[in-house]
Amino acid sequence: MTSPEAREEAVLEAVRERRERVNEAIPEELPIQRPERLYEASRYLLDAGGKRLRPTVLLTVAESLLDVEPLSTDYREFPTLNGNRIDIMDAAVSVEVIQSFTLIHDDIMDDDDLRRGVPAVHKEYDLETAILAGDTLYSKAFEIMLETGAKPDRSVEALNVLATTCTKICEGQSLDVTFEERADVSPEEYLEMVEQKTAVLYAASACLPAILLGADEETIDALYGYGLDIGRAFQIQDDVLDLTVPSEQLGKQRGSDLVENKQTLITVHARDQGVDVDNLVDTNDVEAVTEAEIDDAVAELQAAGSIEYANTTAQDLVAQGKERLEVLPDNEARELLRDIADYLIERGY
Amino acid sequence: MTSPEAREEAVLEAVRERRERVNEAIPEELPIQRPERLYEASRYLLDAGGKRLRPTVLLTVAESLLDVEPLSTDYREFPTLNGNRIDIMDAAVSVEVIQSFTLIHDDIMDDDDLRRGVPAVHKEYDLETAILAGDTLYSKAFEIMLETGAKPDRSVEALNVLATTCTKICEGQSLDVTFEERADVSPEEYLEMVEQKTAVLYAASACLPAILLGADEETIDALYGYGLDIGRAFQIQDDVLDLTVPSEQLGKQRGSDLVENKQTLITVHARDQGVDVDNLVDTNDVEAVTEAEIDDAVAELQAAGSIEYANTTAQDLVAQGKERLEVLPDNEARELLRDIADYLIERGY
């Protein structure tokens, strides 16, 4: 057994190396063309950064399935289980493009100013351009997914996963909005919302390579489940980090979810325990809240066992997700997928 | 030869009959489900009306290609050139759903209050819901197009046409926005914009049945061309009608394009002829403009030959589009497609 620190370093290195290749592929798939302003706006967030976790999961699943050594094989001419070769990088770029489209539209809906340390697209450009940039990325993601060269029946299945995933993301985002006005959201409802809003894109990222490379139904389903599990754990961990990581490190005000009355698994649990969640923090203004107020609120949530509950739930999901990986051949890439699952809840920010 | 009036009546009747079937299919493909508010908003404009011209073109091309009598065959189990049967209604609903998605997002971008006689979705609901409703229709259109039961290679081609069509619509909308700030748009540039913003969805509607039913490349290309031609003619006619039809009949202020400094083929031509287009109407407020001001502006455009130029261009496009239909078998459905082309520029509103 290697140490947790060594495993985390290995994950970060693996993510870094795939990120570089994904970053090379993005301008190839989405060149700045006429009308330039539209394509510049479409690329703005993609170029601003991002860990590329979803493409990393996708590419690593492909490597495990085909039992090739990580990073040893050209993603643009990747072997399949049927003998032909396909461009699996296209699939990886496609899910990242979908992710970017949802961020652009989400920022408009939440009227958020900043994303990845740069202005949101509707702030850097304007509302009109941001809506259009998101819509352009949406169809481009489908175009790119159609270019892998996979067998037509597999492409059809992949497109179907991509389309239903986008529908679920919209449904999840819509539920999230209605939850903000409700004080009786159950942990089950919250987890369902997180599944639709966040986890389905991890699920798609994990199962798409299996579909495109010709794997069987059992493998596809297990990988979809892995993605759902780690995607939910990822979101729960995000909610925990919002309360526990210093503002400077977080890049935004610690406890902003509480201030803005956003539902999280933590607040949903605390309310169940009788905590007066809506009055944990007096102000609704992230500019006005003090660190002491946040400290008090966190102490109360800790006393109610809510942070512990969220941590345990995330850990259980990760354990379950890792079990599902048994469907893959035992190899280095599979080990990396296990480590990625751990990383999602062990990461500090 | 039947009279123009009789032919127009035949077109309207054919559109009406297909519209009824499309209107039955829409709630089947897009049921109101959880989260209800999202799906209600998604259906809002679809339920508010619309001529269903694009689905009518699609279904009529299918009937001509398979040489069946119009309306004699179940669109849900439509014969193909390969012997199997497919659900061609799914394709018809899919293009109408794309059309509806673009209207919802366009109304946000233009901050228009009314559409089809009802409030725009972002007015009836809110900005957030309208963005999400459009995004939901976007992915649903792809899901529905994947349900026709066509052979996988044909489905892949159909999906590719749908995705590239959406990309072009975004590009066209983006060009339209930049044109509003330019005084040197040429007629060619204007027609390119119209092609991308409006005509490509007619082109998709015309060629998609050929793709799904198994027609050859030549037929697919010719039908795409027919759709592009009549789609451009349709938009040019819309621009003419904005100037020539009384406000009550138009459902909005006559000449609103002029007041809002929107580029049309008419203004682009007039500017080429030395008309001071930007000062044809003094106000930028559609509420403040008088009928007399619009009358004077129209007279000036008429003197410059610009309305005549637009009419001639539209007529030429329709003639060219009708010629492309020679690729289809000579039957009643093909005659209807010719009449639809004529109707698009002869219609009064």
Side-chain angles (χ1 to χ4, degrees):
Chain A
M1 284 296 277
T2 43
S3 70
E5 292 74 21
R7 285 194 299 115
E8 176 162 340
E9 186 42 49
V11 169
L12 291 176
E13 180 60 23
V15 171
R16 246 192 315 272
E17 287 169 325
R18 284 165 185 78
R19 179 170 59 222
E20 273 174 37
R21 301 197 188 189
V22 172
N23 288 351
E24 270 171 38
I26 287 170
E28 291 167 10
E29 300 302 326
L30 272 175
I32 306 291
Q33 61 193 45
R34 192 156 173 274
E36 281 77 10
R37 188 178 159 85
L38 175 63
Y39 281 95
E40 280 162 13
S42 301
R43 280 268 300 280
Y44 187 70
L45 275 190
L46 282 163
D47 291 351
K51 295 196 195 75
R52 317 293 189 213
L53 285 174
R54 295 161 195 81
T56 295
V57 166
L58 192 150
L59 297 170
T60 310
V61 166
E63 291 172 326
S64 178
L65 264 173
L66 265 292
D67 211 11
V68 300
E69 201 182 319
L71 298 165
S72 69
T73 313
D74 185 356
Y75 294 125
R76 294 294 200 178
E77 292 188 25
F78 204 80
T80 71
L81 297 164
N82 308 313
N84 59 327
R85 286 182 178 257
I86 70 167
D87 186 340
I88 196 69
M89 179 58 86
D90 277 340
V93 171
S94 177
V95 297
E96 188 70 10
V97 167
I98 288 288
Q99 164 70 2
S100 192
F101 132 65
T102 64
L103 295 180
I104 293 174
H105 281 190
D106 279 2
D107 286 344
I108 299 172
M109 292 187 254
D110 299 340
D111 200 18
D112 280 335
D113 294 345
L114 285 174
R115 170 73 71 175
R116 292 179 174 164
V118 298
V121 176
H122 67 288
K123 297 289 179 186
E124 179 68 19
Y125 294 84
D126 50 64
L127 174 69
E128 207 162 6
T129 306
I131 291 176
L132 271 182
D135 290 346
T136 304
L137 291 175
Y138 210 152
S139 51
K140 276 288 173 189
F142 282 87
E143 287 186 50
I144 296 166
M145 187 63 81
L146 281 163
E147 286 166 5
T148 61
K151 294 200 186 298
D153 59 329
R154 294 295 173 147
S155 275
V156 163
E157 203 179 332
L159 265 283
N160 201 26
V161 166
L162 201 64
T164 54
T165 297
C166 292
T167 301
K168 283 182 195 144
I169 291 171
C170 292
E171 290 174 355
Q173 175 73 13
S174 176
L175 283 179
D176 197 12
V177 173
T178 60
F179 283 2
E180 277 170 40
E181 287 152 22
R182 278 180 50 193
D184 61 345
V185 178
S186 69
E188 291 71 28
E189 283 182 298
Y190 176 79
L191 285 171
E192 184 205 358
M193 182 277 285
V194 164
E195 178 176 317
Q196 296 193 313
K197 189 181 160 185
T198 304
V200 288
L201 197 54
Y202 277 95
S205 303
C207 81
L208 279 165
I211 292 169
L212 294 165
L213 297 169
D216 59 28
E217 210 56 45
E218 187 201 344
T219 306
I220 294 166
D221 290 348
L223 287 165
Y224 190 87
Y226 163 79
L228 270 194
D229 290 335
I230 69 168
R232 283 183 290 187
F234 171 84
Q235 183 61 54
I236 294 168
Q237 177 69 3
D238 249 16
D239 297 342
V240 171
L241 293 177
D242 183 74
L243 293 175
T244 55
V245 172
S247 302
E248 313 82 66
Q249 209 173 331
L250 212 54
K252 60 174 184 174
Q253 174 61 51
R254 180 171 65 106
S256 61
D257 288 350
L258 278 184
V259 178
E260 291 165 354
N261 284 319
K262 276 200 63 179
Q263 304 267 5
T264 67
L265 189 59
I266 299 158
T267 61
V268 166
H269 177 272
R271 189 174 279 120
D272 252 16
Q273 303 297 307
V275 175
D276 184 7
V277 171
D278 299 322
N279 296 310
L280 273 177
V281 177
D282 283 336
T283 176
N284 286 318
D285 181 2
V286 283
E287 309 280 321
V289 75
T290 66
E291 287 294 319
E293 278 181 291
I294 301 288
D295 284 340
D296 290 348
V298 170
E300 201 164 336
L301 293 170
Q302 227 140 18
S306 303
I307 294 178
E308 178 64 21
Y309 171 76
N311 278 328
T312 307
T313 305
Q315 283 158 10
D316 290 349
L317 285 167
V318 163
Q320 182 175 296
K322 289 197 300 191
E323 265 177 44
R324 297 190 203 269
L325 294 176
E326 297 299 318
V327 79
L328 291 172
D330 180 6
N331 52 30
E332 200 185 326
R334 186 179 80 173
E335 207 47 46
L336 183 53
L337 290 168
R338 296 174 58 91
D339 290 346
I340 289 172
D342 287 327
Y343 165 73
L344 290 182
I345 55 167
E346 284 165 9
R347 69 202 160 100
Y349 57 97
Chain B
M1 285 295 277
T2 42
S3 70
E5 292 74 22
R7 286 194 297 113
E8 177 161 340
E9 187 42 50
V11 169
L12 291 176
E13 180 61 22
V15 171
R16 246 193 313 273
E17 286 168 326
R18 283 165 185 78
R19 179 169 59 222
E20 272 174 38
R21 301 197 188 189
V22 172
N23 287 351
E24 270 172 37
I26 287 171
E28 291 167 9
E29 299 303 326
L30 270 175
I32 306 291
Q33 61 192 45
R34 194 158 172 272
E36 281 77 10
R37 187 178 160 85
L38 176 64
Y39 281 96
E40 281 162 12
S42 301
R43 280 268 298 281
Y44 187 71
L45 276 189
L46 282 163
D47 291 350
K51 295 196 194 76
R52 318 291 190 216
L53 285 174
R54 295 161 196 81
T56 295
V57 166
L58 192 150
L59 296 170
T60 309
V61 166
E63 291 172 326
S64 178
L65 265 173
L66 265 292
D67 210 11
V68 299
E69 202 182 318
L71 298 165
S72 69
T73 313
D74 185 356
Y75 293 125
R76 293 293 201 179
E77 291 188 25
F78 204 81
T80 71
L81 298 164
N82 308 313
N84 59 328
R85 286 183 178 257
I86 70 167
D87 187 341
I88 195 69
M89 179 57 86
D90 277 340
V93 171
S94 177
V95 297
E96 188 69 11
V97 168
I98 288 290
Q99 164 70 1
S100 192
F101 132 66
T102 64
L103 295 180
I104 294 174
H105 281 190
D106 278 3
D107 286 343
I108 299 172
M109 291 188 255
D110 299 341
D111 200 19
D112 280 335
D113 293 344
L114 285 174
R115 170 72 72 174
R116 292 178 175 166
V118 297
V121 175
H122 67 289
K123 298 288 179 188
E124 178 69 19
Y125 294 83
D126 51 65
L127 174 69
E128 207 162 5
T129 306
I131 292 177
L132 270 182
D135 290 345
T136 303
L137 291 174
Y138 209 151
S139 51
K140 276 287 173 190
F142 283 87
E143 287 186 49
I144 295 166
M145 187 63 81
L146 282 163
E147 285 167 6
T148 61
K151 293 199 186 297
D153 59 329
R154 293 295 172 148
S155 276
V156 163
E157 202 179 331
L159 265 283
N160 200 25
V161 166
L162 201 64
T164 54
T165 297
C166 292
T167 302
K168 283 182 195 143
I169 291 171
C170 293
E171 291 175 357
Q173 176 72 13
S174 175
L175 283 179
D176 197 13
V177 173
T178 60
F179 283 2
E180 277 170 40
E181 288 151 21
R182 278 180 51 193
D184 61 345
V185 178
S186 68
E188 290 71 28
E189 282 182 300
Y190 175 79
L191 285 171
E192 184 205 357
M193 182 276 286
V194 164
E195 179 177 318
Q196 296 192 312
K197 190 182 161 184
T198 304
V200 287
L201 196 54
Y202 277 95
S205 302
C207 81
L208 279 165
I211 293 169
L212 293 166
L213 297 169
D216 59 27
E217 210 57 45
E218 186 201 345
T219 306
I220 294 166
D221 290 348
L223 288 165
Y224 191 86
Y226 162 79
L228 269 194
D229 289 335
I230 69 167
R232 283 183 289 187
F234 171 84
Q235 183 62 54
I236 294 168
Q237 177 69 1
D238 249 16
D239 297 342
V240 172
L241 293 177
D242 183 73
L243 292 175
T244 55
V245 173
S247 301
E248 312 82 67
Q249 207 173 332
L250 212 53
K252 60 174 184 173
Q253 174 60 51
R254 180 170 66 106
S256 61
D257 288 349
L258 278 184
V259 178
E260 292 165 355
N261 284 319
K262 276 201 63 177
Q263 305 265 6
T264 67
L265 189 59
I266 300 158
T267 61
V268 166
H269 176 272
R271 188 173 279 122
D272 253 16
Q273 303 298 307
V275 176
D276 183 6
V277 170
D278 299 321
N279 295 310
L280 272 177
V281 178
D282 283 336
T283 177
N284 286 317
D285 181 2
V286 281
E287 310 279 320
V289 74
T290 65
E291 288 294 320
E293 278 180 290
I294 301 287
D295 284 340
D296 290 348
V298 170
E300 201 164 335
L301 293 169
Q302 228 140 17
S306 303
I307 294 179
E308 178 65 21
Y309 172 75
N311 278 329
T312 307
T313 306
Q315 283 157 11
D316 290 348
L317 285 166
V318 162
Q320 181 175 296
K322 289 197 299 190
E323 265 177 46
R324 297 190 202 270
L325 294 176
E326 298 299 317
V327 78
L328 291 173
D330 180 6
N331 51 30
E332 200 185 326
R334 186 179 79 173
E335 205 47 43
L336 183 53
L337 290 168
R338 296 174 59 90
D339 290 346
I340 289 172
D342 287 326
Y343 164 73
L344 289 182
I345 55 167
E346 284 165 10
R347 70 202 158 100
Y349 58 97

